[in-house]
Every structure is written in C-alpha cells, then in structure tokens.
Amino acid sequence: MDEVTIYHNPACGTSRNTLGLIRNAGIEPRVIEYLKTPPDRTTLLALIQAMAVPVRDVVRAKENAYAELGLADAGDEALIDAMLAHPVLINRPIVVTALGTKLCRPSEVVLDILPQPQRGAFSKEDGEPVVDAAGNRLA
C-alpha cells in the first residue's frame, strides 16, 4: 500500500476530519504533529513545490503571529523563515500521497489524492455528511 503522510494539528477540526477521512479509506497514515516536529527548510520547500501553490497560500494568516510579525506584505523568503521559526503559521493539514500533495482545506480535498476509496459513510465533526454509506463523495 502507498504511504500517506499527514502534517497534523490535533487541535484543528479540519485536520481531525482529514485524518478521519484517511482512516475511513482503511489507511493508517504517518502522522506528523508539525507543531511538535516542524519540517526543516528543505521539507517545507518541497511540500510547497509539490502542492504547486504560492508560498502565501501555506501561511496561516489567522494566527496572531502573522500580524505580530508584520507578514501581510512579506516576500516568500520572509514567509518561509517565519513558518520555520513559528510552525503555528503553517496552514494545515498537508497530506502527501503517491497521487499528490495537497493542503486539505476543506478536509474533503483529501479524497482527491487518496490511493484507496472510502469504506463507508463519513461525516465531519459538525455533522456535515461528506461520504455516503457506499463510500461515494457527497460534495
């Protein structure tokens, strides 16, 4: 089976929902709690490149540190330095599979890159159904 890795924050509902969808496909992923074990510069740059998104898309602008550090007009290098120094600024969850790397916001984005289908119904923590009993995506 293909390895699946999730850069996870257990305090984040979107991250928990994404992890639940991975497990609903019968996959036990490699879970990296990135606040405890932050990525190094090489890994962070590789993730951003694999997602093919602007660096700014990976920065969590809702965090207090974003405003405190004056990152609104910062360039890519300053944003990367800030994420490395303050991992809470890394948007989550990021999921890596053989089919791609995605920032899974909303959580059902993970369905696009899972190597196995869903095995049954799944609803988000707020009760919103995402997958029906036959394993089909609803949204």
Side-chain angles (χ1 to χ4, degrees), residues 67-113:
E68 291 167 5
L69 296 170
L71 297 175
D73 296 319
D76 288 355
E77 284 304 312
L79 292 174
I80 289 166
D81 290 344
M83 286 187 282
L84 292 170
H86 307 276
V88 71
L89 289 170
I90 300 171
N91 213 343
R92 74 277 178 157
I94 297 172
V95 178
V96 180
T97 77
L99 299 176
T101 301
K102 296 257 187 192
L103 174 60
C104 295
R105 299 190 75 81
S107 54
E108 51 270 27
V109 168
V110 76
L111 298 173
D112 297 335
I113 59 169

Side-chain angles (χ1 to χ4, degrees), residues 5-7 23 33 87-88 93 97 119 132:
T5 300
I6 179 171
Y7 289 83
R23 288 179 170 154
E33 289 189 29
V88 71
T97 77
R119 292 185 170 183
D132 67 17

Side-chain angles (χ1 to χ4, degrees), residues 4-74:
V4 173
T5 300
I6 179 171
Y7 289 83
H8 179 59
N9 179 349
C12 172
T14 300
S15 198
R16 291 191 304 270
N17 286 326
T18 302
L19 180 58
L21 283 163
I22 294 168
R23 288 179 170 154
N24 197 49
I27 300 167
E28 187 52 44
R30 178 174 162 227
V31 178
I32 298 173
E33 289 189 29
Y34 69 91
L35 294 178
K36 293 179 181 176
T37 310
D40 60 20
R41 179 176 294 276
T42 302
T43 302
L44 182 59
L45 290 172
L47 289 168
I48 293 167
Q49 182 177 8
M51 288 186 286
V53 298
V55 171
R56 187 161 294 282
D57 287 3
V58 185
V59 179
R60 189 160 171 81
K62 294 180 181 180
E63 292 298 329
N64 291 336
Y66 183 85
E68 291 167 5
L69 296 170
L71 297 175
D73 296 319

